[in-house]
Amino acid sequence: MQANQLEKIRKGKGFIAALDQSGGSTPKALAGYGVSEDAYSNEEEMFDLVHEMRTRIITSPAFDSTHILGAILFEQTMDREIEGQYTADYLAEKKGIVPFLKVDKGLADASNGVQLMKPIHDLDETLRRANERHIFGTKMRSVIKEANPEGIKTVVDQQFEIGKQIIEAGLVPIIEPEVDIHSNDKEKSEQILKDEILGHLNNLDDKDNVMLKLSIPTVANTYKELIDHPRVVRVVALSGGYSRDEANEKLKENDGLIASFSRALSADLNVNQTDEEFNAALRDAVESIYDASVNKK
């Protein structure tokens, strides 16, 4: 199964859906879906509601392997079921979509113009359970706010250190050093970031594979060298706060770069929509993101 999934991610046409809002971002995700905070009284009820939202997305006929290569899940979603199957099994077996898992625990406070990941003390146990749940790969996010070479080096060092632990567990890590789209020196940050990532890629063993999830670069095709690197399975782009239309237009300018959008995917979905309305809105989003991922300018 994993060899087939690797081939699908490496060469398939489509994009990666990000359904991994967690912890502090869950209320915002629910609010965007039309579920206000007075609809739940505790964390358990909140996660029940967000699983209902994700189940509605995943089971929609618009959420299909013709357009979508993979989906990134939150740990709670991995441990829950959809139509009697664990979510990853449902995605792989019923939908033909490759399951990934978000493994980071959020961001540390800003220092040297960046936010590192908080320590992931239970990573070994999480990776064991991910294998048990038939997860293909993982995702972990850091943020770069300034073109600080020392800070950016620290971010990339941390990402690859943890990435190697994930590779040793038999999974493919998505390394995500996001550059803040509002940064005053975004373009400079992206050049420093590219050079740091290249250094680590060139030091990987021939059997090691990673994916990269990056902000859409200011200068088109900045990351082409990363996309073409033999140790990189795929480079995907986050929407980063751009609207879907803006993110799609920027994405089209970058050869080989495909989407891994979250808010831009679900922005038009609402709990009060009929199934027909919901599926049509999701279909519009899926098709536009797919088009931006496969049809370049």
Side-chain angles (χ1 to χ4, degrees):
M1 172 71 85
Q2 192 172 46
N4 292 337
Q5 290 178 333
L6 179 62
E7 186 73 3
K8 182 181 181 72
I9 296 297
R10 191 190 297 277
K11 296 183 178 178
K13 287 187 175 183
F15 68 94
I16 310 289
L19 305 175
D20 58 331
Q21 300 96 337
S22 62
S25 62
T26 302
K28 189 175 180 181
L30 283 171
Y33 183 54
V35 178
S36 60
E37 291 194 28
D38 59 13
Y40 48 90
S41 56
N42 55 49
E43 193 174 78
E44 183 179 354
E45 291 178 2
M46 178 185 75
F47 285 125
D48 286 344
L49 288 168
V50 83
H51 188 64
E52 288 176 17
M53 178 185 77
R54 289 169 179 155
T55 296
R56 195 179 187 192
I57 292 171
I58 290 169
T59 58
S60 169
F63 199 85
D64 65 78
S65 60
T66 304
H67 300 90
I68 299 168
L69 299 173
I72 305 170
L73 308 174
F74 170 46
E75 193 172 343
Q76 282 240 7
T77 310
M78 176 186 75
D79 288 331
R80 291 180 181 240
E81 294 184 355
I82 295 177
E83 296 182 1
Q85 288 185 287
Y86 283 114
T87 304
D89 290 333
Y90 182 89
L91 281 167
E93 295 173 17
K94 292 291 177 68
K95 290 284 186 166
I97 292 171
V98 179
F100 293 82
L101 176 68
K102 166 189 160 70
V103 296
D104 69 78
K105 303 296 184 183
L107 299 169
D109 292 338
S111 177
N112 286 336
V114 303
Q115 287 182 276
L116 295 170
M117 292 179 282
K118 292 179 179 177
I120 313 174
H121 297 298
D122 61 348
L123 182 59
D124 284 336
E125 173 61 15
T126 300
L127 297 175
R128 184 194 65 76
R129 290 175 50 251
N131 275 308
E132 211 172 67
R133 294 279 185 265
H134 305 139
I135 294 291
F136 169 80
T138 65
K139 191 213 80 162
M140 49 195 177
R141 172 176 173 260
S142 316
V143 175
I144 296 165
K145 295 180 175 293
E146 299 172 12
N148 181 312
E150 181 184 348
I152 293 173
K153 181 181 186 305
T154 306
V155 161
V156 178
D157 287 350
Q158 183 192 41
Q159 284 276 349
F160 274 87
E161 180 184 356
I162 297 171
K164 287 180 180 178
Q165 190 176 345
I166 291 162
I167 290 169
E168 288 171 7
L171 303 171
V172 176
I174 300 178
I175 287 167
E176 184 185 7
E178 172 184 345
V179 178
D180 189 330
I181 64 168
H182 303 296
S183 170
N184 292 326
D185 46 15
K186 179 172 176 284
E187 181 181 342
K188 186 178 178 183
S189 292
E190 288 163 349
Q191 189 57 57
I192 298 168
L193 175 63
K194 184 183 86 166
D195 292 341
E196 287 292 339
I197 292 173
L198 271 174
H200 278 275
L201 292 175
N202 291 335
N203 286 326
L204 290 177
D205 292 338
D206 288 347
K207 62 179 176 55
D208 294 341
N209 293 304
V210 302
M211 295 174 62
L212 303 171
K213 183 167 179 174
L214 306 171
S215 304
I216 304 171
T218 302
V219 176
N221 292 314
T222 291
Y223 296 130
K224 192 68 170 67
E225 196 173 354
L226 304 180
I227 291 167
D228 294 337
H229 197 283
R231 300 277 55 80
V232 176
V233 177
R234 207 73 189 250
V235 181
V236 303
L238 55 106
S239 52
Y242 292 125
S243 69
R244 182 165 66 240
D245 287 346
E246 191 174 3
N248 283 341
E249 285 306 305
K250 291 178 180 295
L251 187 64
K252 287 178 183 178
E253 297 173 352
N254 289 270
D255 296 336
L257 188 65
I258 67 172
S260 178
F261 294 169
S262 175
R263 280 168 291 179
L265 174 63
S266 60
D268 296 335
L269 305 180
N270 190 278
V271 66
N272 296 314
Q273 289 168 326
T274 65
D275 286 346
E276 185 177 4
E277 292 168 337
F278 179 92
N279 292 335
L282 183 57
R283 173 66 67 190
D284 286 347
V286 164
E287 289 183 348
S288 71
I289 295 168
Y290 173 86
D291 180 67
S293 295
V294 304
N295 297 315
K296 301 300 182 177
K297 292 180 178 177

